[in-house]
Amino acid sequence: MTTDDTISEARRHRSRPATGPRWWRRPWILPLAAVAVLFVAISLPRYLTFDPDLSRVQQPGVAVHYPFLVAHVIFGSIAMLTCCIQVWPRFRRKYPAVHRYAGRIYVVAGVLPAGAAALVLGATTPFGPVAMASNLLLAVIWLGCTLQGFRAARQRRYADHRRWMIRSFALTVSIITNRVWGVLVGIALAPQLDTTFRGSEELFGQAVGGTVAWLGWTVPLLIAQWWLERGSSNGPAVMPGREASGAR
């Protein structure tokens, strides 16, 4: 066999689809989807009552805060549920049409209205200026990544589409990590309530809220970027035209 024959054979071998089960290559997909569904099931119902007294975040001095909070939670829940199936490669390959329609829902009925509402919520947050800066920046980056991914899909630049949507996905599910950070930061700062914060519950809440606001989305975004750079040595994963998500 000549050198050219060897190279051709190697290329044919690489192009053959794997025959064994492949779910174990991304074992985090199903657990993350389960957590997302559970998170929505716990968080969403209280806002569907449209009762401000049941809200986890109270801002009675700003009339527009609660309506935009309800909108953000509802549309954000749509984004969270649809994005879980978007990052499932096997589902994307097996049901490309569903993947495309779910991508449209994710962008148009999920991230765009939820992100727009987040801009208002960021500007009216009760957790102080540090949290305000974080929430506004998060909303802008979330919208930006999603629109870039949508635009790349429309232009059939599927490798770029995938990278932008992975970033968007990381920001979408970052709200889940806020609950974890909230507990950890609260426990860490609680001993300083009477010293550093001079017994002020308001200052303590702003310190916890501001810290959690930044950690909640920067850590997932950095992990997503590390994941993307980690696989860059193997070349971009170009999606076939029929597997693009988002509207075309």
Side-chain angles (χ1 to χ4, degrees), residues 40 42 47 75 136 166 173 187 198 200 221:
V40 170
I42 293 174
Y47 294 99
F75 292 118
L136 289 173
I166 286 177
V173 300
I187 292 174
R198 301 178 182 178
S200 173
L221 185 58

Side-chain angles (χ1 to χ4, degrees), residues 26-106:
R26 292 176 177 84
W28 48 269
I29 292 178
L30 292 181
L32 180 59
V35 171
V37 171
L38 181 63
F39 181 85
V40 170
I42 293 174
S43 303
L44 181 60
R46 69 176 67 215
Y47 294 99
L48 295 179
T49 64
F50 303 102
D51 183 357
D53 293 334
L54 297 180
S55 174
R56 291 178 59 90
V57 181
Q58 300 287 337
Q59 184 65 308
V62 182
V64 300
H65 185 271
Y66 181 71
F68 277 93
L69 178 60
V70 172
H72 175 71
V73 171
I74 292 175
F75 292 118
S77 297
I78 294 173
M80 185 175 295
L81 294 177
T82 52
C83 78
C84 289
I85 63 174
Q86 293 303 93
V87 295
W88 190 355
R90 183 177 180 182
F91 185 92
R92 183 174 65 239
R93 289 190 298 269
K94 191 172 183 180
Y95 306 104
V98 177
H99 176 74
R100 290 195 297 272
Y101 286 119
R104 295 186 181 110
I105 294 172
Y106 172 74

Side-chain angles (χ1 to χ4, degrees), residues 107-213:
V107 174
V108 177
V111 175
L112 293 186
L119 290 171
V120 178
L121 296 177
T124 60
T125 178
F127 297 113
V130 176
M132 179 188 297
S134 172
N135 292 338
L136 289 173
L137 185 58
L138 167 58
V140 171
I141 296 177
W142 190 28
L143 289 169
C145 289
T146 305
L147 289 173
Q148 286 280 37
F150 177 83
R151 181 169 175 265
R154 297 278 293 182
Q155 296 176 347
R156 299 180 182 272
R157 294 184 290 108
Y158 299 119
D160 291 337
H161 163 74
R162 172 182 174 272
R163 293 176 67 86
W164 283 113
M165 283 306 186
I166 286 177
R167 298 181 184 109
S168 174
F169 163 79
L171 296 174
T172 298
V173 300
S174 66
I175 184 62
I176 298 176
T177 67
N178 280 16
R179 303 294 184 262
V180 179
W181 286 117
V183 173
L184 295 178
V185 175
I187 292 174
L189 295 182
Q192 303 179 46
L193 176 60
D194 295 328
T195 55
T196 303
F197 304 104
R198 301 178 182 178
S200 173
E201 294 284 350
E202 181 179 1
L203 290 177
F204 176 76
Q206 290 187 1
V208 173
T211 304
V212 170

